[in-house]
Amino acid sequence: MLWRPMTRLVLGRILGVAPVLLGVCFVVFAALHLAPGDAARTILGYGATEQRVQALRAALGLDRPLIVQFADWLWALLHGDLGRSISLGVPVSEIILDKIGASLLLMAASFALAAGLGLLFAALSGGAHRSARDRIITLAMLVLASLPPFWLGIVLLFVFGLQLRLLPISGMSSADGGVLDVARHLILPAVTTAASSMAVVARVTRSAFVDAMNEPYALAARARGLSETRIVGVEAMRNVLPGFVTIAGLQIGYLFGGALFSEIVFNWPGIGLQLFQAIVQRDFPVVQGCVLAIAAVFVLGNLAADLLAIALDPRRRG
Amino acid sequence: MIPRFRSALAIGRRSLLAGAAALSIAALAPAPRALADAGTLTIGIEADLARLDPHISGTWNTFKALSHIYEGFVAEDLLATGVATPPIVPALAESWEVSADKKTYTFRLRRGVSFHDGEPWNAAAAKFNLDRMTNPAFEFHQPGAVGMLQWVWGDLAGYEVVDDYTIRIVLKQPNSEFLRRLAAGGSGTPRMISPAAVRKFGNDGINANPVGTGPFKFGEREVGVRTVLVRNDGYWDPKRTPKLQRIVLRGIPEVTTRELGLLTGELDMISTPSPDSLEYLAAQGMTLVKGPVATIYPIWLNFREKPLQDVRVRRAMAMAIDRESMAKFLRRGTAQPAYGILNYGGPGWDPDYRDFPYDPEGAKKLLAEAGYPDGFETRLDWTMGGGGDVNTRADAEWIQRDLGRIGIRATIELFDNGTYWDMMAKGAREGTCCMQVSWGETGFFWLDLVLPTTALPPNGFNSGWYENPKMNELLAAARAAPTEEQMVATLHQIRDIVTEDVALIPVYTPLQVYAMRPNVKGFVLAPQHWADYTSVYKE
């Protein structure tokens, strides 16, 4: 009796992702094909005659109706073929596979920071409502939430990279490499990306803690002589978690957006930096591939958060 | 139960903290720096490299690598000092003869030269490359090369192998700067690729496996991260045998990151620091090298706009712009005012030539004479610029202000570089008076794309609709000039007519800036968009 609506709910969420991704594909495809600019001319260079450009347009199928081109493109996409980069001359799928790892690493580290520290600060401040600690943390979170990542990144670079010489300035590894080396390169971009999301998570979750601490079960726990730490960390936590997972899941999109800036500031070789360079060089196939990859991560990340929230909150199982 | 559980948690927490602290200390320990390796020069450039196939390569930054990997028949000597235009010197051709009618070039090829993969350089290899660039029937023809190299092979009639080390190239009409075009680069370049490498890796495979004859060979590339060039120990020219073991090129688009990377020693050299940072970088002990580059930033004027059809209005606009102050205060000494359409570093450039005086009062009078005492409303279309351009919006705002002072009220519209060039390929749009552009090369071939009526959109970039048939005649005469003196004299005629017609307003020539750590020595700044790194070493 119980598993059926649950399964339907989960399956519904998963199936709901397909039209969203299809829609994203179409918007990405249409936006780039309707924008000014011509792939054939980009390939041939500005010295080419109009006649040659038309010939190449025909050869590339660019003169066919947009919807036919879209169907073709989608069919190729389903076979893992995203076309060939104009500026680099290599398959786009290779570039994406090469870069997505670096972006996911940065995302995962930022997410861990944002969610972990966000929850910690929420518990510390919400668990002690209106205390000095609560006020200080709330103020600090307000400041952090207002910092543009681009600016924060440069300030962190200036302090930790240049003044203190503790951390490297750019890239993902030095030539010699190693896990620890990557970790050193990861610290500043991850902190930069995570800062404002962590503040948002902390502020929203703090309110949930404040509410939970006023619930009768918290009073009952106190009456039974449980310590404040246990009430906040275990009793209130259990009730705060589903909301926390949802808000943290929502941050995935923001983190990816923030990571884009961090990648440029820290020259982190991920999808964002690649996208930036591809836009500058008018490399349409790469722009398309990068946007699609980012959209896929966004949608799948939110799906994962949704499913986790369902698993954590019995009320949502219907 | 509960107390025991809690203490276990406490211990766990304590050891966790200790572990985290140990980890962070280990992580924070300073790592070996790039500085340690004296044979490696790490350069931070404005963007990652594009395709590495020279016949279809696109960007100036890419050429910073390609110019070291590949060579052509002739080269520009970028180590020559004290010259505005780099002299042309033999490279893969030892010598050449030009026929009396200036149409036939016979190149005697250098003997004993090998490509980086061991393949010998000879007339067969030269023909392979000519076929690849120009012959659509050839098995390894590169279709993109036809458009990209139009400016080099547009006049080609044919070519033939004379013997193993001689090749003859015949042109349809004389071209006074054919050798210059063979030596130049940046947007497609007629340099020689190992035929064996093309056969082995395929036409597209050359982008990832470039094999030439140059002083550096391709080492490795991680797209978006770094490209490594390694010294070619068997290089044919002892004068240009690299002092460095390795060059690492890293594309870092964010200028602040490039600057910080230089200051910490992660990078040995960077190109195009921000003009606002130059004083700070110098104060930190960095070496700054700057000099003009073969480029000019002119403004196209839209001849289809009613007010601009009167030459007095165009002249008034030119007289309203304070180029000297712009170079000095806005560009902070990283530009010099440009006078006349012939660019610094190109043929016929004359340091003493002056076109329009800065005279806003005179400009106002001219406007009034032309029937616009209160000026008019218009628009500036501007590009955000490519890799080497810094803050082009400020240029637009400066010109907007200067035009405002004589009553011409202009709005500004800014476009990304690609979109902008697509617009310009279609010609100036209605309602726009001025469009910024950067042009220029060590040859004058770019004028062919900008000035003649044959270059009116969509066939070229005469985007302001300037129609003066004399341009077609004179440019053809300059190309066909039998001597350099005659070519320069004709170019001067072209320059004077462009000034008289006020077809374009020259604004400034940028100074390219490189910043390097104090231990980097031997760098020679060339008036080109790239430099020769064979003379560079680290102390």
Side-chain angles (χ1 to χ4, degrees):
Chain A
M1 280 304 275
L2 237 171
W3 66 269
R4 279 177 103 189
M6 169 79 177
T7 312
R8 198 181 302 143
L9 186 64
V10 170
L11 273 180
R13 285 291 155 91
I14 292 173
L15 287 177
V17 164
V20 173
L21 280 177
L22 189 70
V24 167
C25 286
F26 186 74
V27 169
V28 167
F29 180 85
L32 284 171
H33 276 72
L34 297 176
D38 185 273
R41 190 164 280 285
T42 311
I43 292 169
L44 288 175
Y46 286 110
T49 57
E50 191 62 25
Q51 200 186 350
R52 281 193 56 84
V53 173
Q54 292 307 335
L56 185 65
R57 282 181 62 83
L60 293 175
L62 294 172
D63 51 353
R64 296 171 307 159
L66 198 62
I67 194 74
V68 177
Q69 292 188 50
F70 176 63
D72 259 17
W73 180 73
L74 201 63
W75 184 245
L77 177 69
L78 290 173
H79 292 77
D81 178 7
L82 283 160
R84 196 172 266 272
S85 156
I86 294 169
S87 72
L88 295 162
V90 295
V92 174
S93 49
E94 256 176 44
I95 299 175
I96 304 278
L97 283 179
D98 198 35
K99 300 295 166 197
I100 194 95
S103 285
L104 288 177
L105 176 64
L106 176 56
M107 269 261 330
S110 317
F111 185 74
L113 276 180
L117 291 180
L119 186 63
L120 179 69
F121 284 128
L124 286 177
S125 64
H129 190 38
R130 295 209 175 136
S131 66
R133 185 172 74 194
D134 179 27
R135 281 170 215 276
I136 290 168
I137 291 176
T138 305
L139 183 68
M141 291 304 126
L142 183 67
V143 172
L144 274 182
S146 326
L147 291 180
F150 206 83
W151 183 83
L152 178 66
I154 286 174
V155 170
L156 289 177
L157 271 181
F158 190 78
V159 175
F160 292 96
L162 183 63
Q163 301 292 334
L164 302 175
R165 303 281 167 117
L166 282 174
L167 294 168
I169 300 289
S170 67
M172 187 167 158
S173 66
S174 311
D176 34 8
V179 175
L180 213 60
D181 185 45
V182 173
R184 293 181 66 245
H185 282 81
L186 182 59
I187 296 173
L188 291 184
V191 169
T192 304
T193 310
S196 63
S197 283
M198 179 197 78
V200 170
V201 170
R203 292 179 68 196
V204 174
T205 313
R206 171 188 167 273
S207 323
F209 269 108
V210 171
D211 291 345
M213 294 303 280
N214 289 328
E215 292 288 330
Y217 63 76
L219 187 65
R222 256 184 221 116
R224 290 205 306 275
L226 292 181
S227 74
E228 275 307 291
T229 316
R230 188 175 157 84
I231 297 170
V232 175
V234 179
E235 309 293 331
M237 185 70 84
R238 186 73 184 83
N239 288 280
V240 163
L241 273 183
F244 160 76
V245 167
T246 307
I247 184 75
L250 277 177
Q251 297 309 307
I252 291 174
Y254 293 106
L255 283 174
F256 223 96
L260 214 139
F261 287 110
S262 298
E263 285 184 12
I264 293 167
V265 172
F266 296 94
N267 225 51
W268 184 265
I271 291 277
L273 187 63
Q274 198 63 45
L275 177 63
F276 178 73
Q277 304 223 19
I279 289 172
V280 172
Q281 296 181 336
R282 300 225 100 191
D283 198 336
F284 293 120
V286 176
V287 174
Q288 245 168 13
C290 288
V291 172
L292 212 58
I294 292 170
V297 169
F298 187 97
V299 171
L300 296 177
N302 279 319
L303 174 70
D306 259 8
L307 296 181
L308 193 59
I310 291 171
L312 282 173
D313 187 351
R315 284 166 301 181
R316 290 178 66 174
R317 287 173 207 151
Chain B
M1 280 309 281
I2 289 169
R4 200 183 291 163
F5 170 70
R6 197 185 290 162
S7 67
L9 197 76
I11 289 164
R13 201 185 292 154
R14 215 171 289 144
S15 56
L16 202 77
L17 271 175
L23 237 164
S24 57
I25 287 166
L28 294 181
R33 293 245 204 84
L35 277 178
D37 185 357
T40 301
L41 186 78
T42 307
I43 310 173
I45 55 179
E46 302 93 322
D48 188 30
L49 310 179
R51 297 182 288 208
L52 300 180
D53 178 341
H55 300 161
I56 50 165
S57 65
T59 67
W60 288 342
N61 269 319
T62 308
F63 217 67
K64 286 174 179 162
L66 294 190
S67 64
H68 293 96
I69 299 174
Y70 298 108
E71 297 175 296
F73 293 123
V74 289
E76 290 185 331
D77 181 2
L78 300 181
L79 296 177
T81 50
V83 290
T85 308
I88 289 179
V89 292
L92 289 180
E94 238 165 8
S95 63
W96 53 90
E97 287 139 34
V98 186
S99 65
D101 66 358
K102 306 277 174 188
K103 287 195 207 166
T104 304
Y105 287 71
T106 308
F107 290 99
R108 308 219 176 277
L109 307 185
R110 193 174 295 280
R111 288 158 194 262
V113 175
S114 306
F115 288 96
H116 300 147
D117 58 359
E119 175 91 346
W121 160 249
N122 52 32
K127 181 173 184 300
F128 182 98
N129 276 276
L130 287 164
D131 282 341
R132 187 172 190 264
M133 289 182 266
T134 64
N135 177 8
F138 183 53
E139 184 188 355
F140 294 104
H141 177 59
Q142 173 53 268
V146 177
M148 294 284 272
L149 288 167
Q150 176 74 18
W151 58 281
V152 179
W153 300 122
D155 290 335
L156 183 74
Y159 45 88
E160 57 170 332
V161 172
V162 179
D163 62 43
D164 274 359
Y165 287 95
T166 312
I167 194 158
R168 186 174 292 144
I169 293 176
V170 185
L171 303 179
K172 289 181 208 148
Q173 53 188 2
N175 187 328
S176 55
E177 56 169 15
F178 181 59
L179 290 175
R180 177 68 63 186
R181 296 183 189 199
L182 286 181
S187 171
T189 178
R191 299 204 173 199
M192 304 299 164
I193 313 171
S194 158
V198 176
R199 290 201 179 93
K200 181 173 167 193
F201 300 113
N203 250 352
D204 288 329
I206 290 302
N207 289 311
N209 304 279
V211 182
T213 57
F216 283 93
K217 341 184 237 196
F218 176 73
E220 54 169 335
R221 175 176 193 188
E222 202 181 324
V223 168
V225 180
R226 62 172 73 81
T227 301
V228 181
L229 306 182
V230 184
R231 177 158 96 162
N232 173 11
D233 288 317
Y235 188 58
W236 57 269
D237 186 356
K239 288 199 301 285
R240 284 186 72 221
T241 300
K243 296 192 167 69
L244 294 163
Q245 286 297 335
R246 216 169 286 106
I247 297 176
V248 180
L249 291 161
R250 291 185 52 195
I252 304 179
E254 172 54 36
V255 61
T256 315
T257 312
R258 282 206 297 282
E259 291 166 359
L260 290 171
L262 178 74
L263 288 168
T264 57
E266 220 170 272
L267 304 169
D268 297 307
M269 184 194 271
I270 59 171
S271 51
T272 323
S274 160
D276 297 327
S277 311
L278 297 183
E279 274 174 39
Y280 180 72
L281 290 173
Q284 299 297 310
M286 300 298 124
T287 311
L288 296 178
V289 180
K290 63 177 174 177
V293 62
T295 301
I296 185 171
Y297 282 65
I299 298 171
W300 272 305
L301 296 176
N302 185 358
F303 279 64
R304 288 196 174 168
E305 285 300 289
K306 181 82 181 51
L308 273 69
Q309 283 168 358
D310 189 324
V311 68
R312 287 171 296 186
V313 173
R314 301 199 298 273
R315 186 178 309 279
M317 291 168 76
M319 284 161 62
I321 299 172
D322 185 359
R323 289 172 281 186
E324 242 171 82
S325 304
M326 188 173 176
K328 202 163 151 189
F329 300 116
L330 178 67
R331 293 271 137 208
R332 297 191 178 220
T334 60
Q336 59 190 37
Y339 306 104
I341 193 62
L342 299 180
N343 62 281
Y344 175 91
W349 179 73
D350 175 0
D352 298 322
Y353 179 79
R354 292 293 178 272
D355 46 15
F356 316 102
Y358 170 57
D359 178 8
E361 288 311 311
K364 261 189 220 163
K365 265 184 220 143
L366 271 180
L367 264 190
E369 268 175 45
Y372 297 96
D374 303 320
F376 53 90
E377 286 191 1
T378 184
R379 178 174 56 211
L380 311 176
D381 280 341
W382 230 251
T383 167
M384 291 179 207
D389 299 318
V390 182
N391 198 4
T392 52
R393 172 184 270 281
D395 292 349
E397 285 166 352
W398 182 282
I399 286 161
Q400 179 188 44
R401 186 206 59 179
D402 279 357
L403 291 178
R405 284 179 177 167
I406 63 166
I408 299 174
R409 300 168 297 282
T411 55
I412 298 173
E413 276 195 40
L414 206 63
F415 300 89
D416 84 84
N417 210 35
T419 309
Y420 184 76
W421 281 97
D422 286 334
M423 280 171 61
M424 292 304 112
K426 295 189 185 104
R429 54 181 182 152
E430 210 183 315
T432 290
C433 71
C434 306
M435 297 135 327
Q436 182 208 245
V437 62
S438 62
W439 283 109
E441 255 303 338
T442 49
F444 71 81
F445 39 86
W446 66 277
L447 294 176
D448 278 334
L449 270 175
V450 179
L451 293 177
T453 57
T454 49
L456 286 166
N459 298 312
F461 287 94
N462 186 348
S463 303
W465 315 102
Y466 169 52
E467 292 185 56
N468 186 345
K470 269 219 97 164
M471 283 298 135
N472 308 17
E473 271 169 54
L474 287 171
L475 281 165
R479 275 196 304 275
T483 65
E484 195 176 334
E485 289 73 36
Q486 275 166 286
M487 174 181 90
V488 166
T490 316
L491 288 173
H492 283 171
Q493 263 180 288
I494 291 170
R495 175 195 65 190
D496 296 345
I497 294 175
V498 169
T499 300
E500 202 180 307
D501 288 347
V502 203
L504 298 105
I505 306 176
V507 183
Y508 64 80
T509 288
L511 269 59
Q512 53 181 341
V513 186
Y514 286 86
M516 53 204 88
R517 295 195 60 84
N519 64 330
V520 177
K521 306 282 182 193
F523 176 74
V524 177
L525 184 74
Q528 249 312 358
H529 304 285
W530 43 89
D532 185 341
Y533 292 112
T534 55
S535 63
V536 178
Y537 60 96
K538 279 162 77 178
E539 270 178 356

